[in-house]
Amino acid sequence: MTKGMPSVEQIRTAANAGATQIAAAGNTAADQIERSGSAAAERIRWASQSKTDVFAGRVGFTSWQAAAVVFLGFALLIVGVYWLNSDREAALAQARSETQGVREFTNWVKGQPEGKRLYDRYYNP
């Protein structure tokens, strides 16, 4: 009855060979899963980093140098506006002074008899 049946040693050898093949297949699958996971994680990191870089490039500061450039830009803008406003204020003060001079001269002319007559004829027809 035991003729043709494998011996205990043959079963042990076959089981060891099968276990070795299963372990090798498991290790191969684990390596593939690890590589796929690493590759997927790298693709996700790259995609999120590139989107972050685009977003940060449009709205935020990517470094202290970028923040310094933006701050310097605002400072130059404020100085430029102040400088232009001071020129405008100087021109406005000059115009007010000239207007005051014209008023004083007009009042003086109106105080003169001939000037009053000409003023009334011109402005009060």
Side-chain angles (χ1 to χ4, degrees):
M1 194 160 160
T2 57
K3 236 183 190 189
M5 298 276 269
S7 68
V8 173
E9 191 59 39
Q10 288 174 335
I11 293 173
R12 187 177 292 138
T13 303
N16 286 340
T20 303
Q21 286 180 349
I22 290 172
N27 288 338
T28 302
D31 287 344
Q32 287 176 345
I33 290 170
E34 185 177 340
R35 281 194 307 270
S36 295
S38 296
E42 181 61 28
R43 283 194 303 269
I44 290 169
R45 188 199 64 76
W46 179 83
S48 65
Q49 184 66 42
S50 66
K51 286 181 181 178
T52 301
D53 289 345
V54 167
F55 182 73
R58 288 186 185 153
V59 209
F61 304 123
T62 55
S63 66
W64 68 268
Q65 291 99 340
V69 166
V70 170
F71 178 74
L72 182 63
F74 279 128
L76 288 175
L77 180 67
I78 289 169
V79 168
V81 166
Y82 177 77
W83 180 68
L84 289 174
N85 195 35
S86 66
D87 285 351
R88 189 179 70 83
E89 285 294 325
L92 187 58
Q94 169 109 18
R96 284 180 182 152
S97 173
E98 290 172 0
T99 302
Q100 183 63 28
V102 168
R103 279 189 192 132
E104 290 174 4
F105 179 74
T106 303
N107 289 336
W108 179 81
V109 167
K110 287 194 300 185
Q112 306 299 315
E114 181 65 20
K116 181 159 179 46
R117 188 179 63 74
L118 289 173
Y119 183 84
D120 287 338
R121 191 174 92 188
Y122 183 76
Y123 286 105
N124 301 321

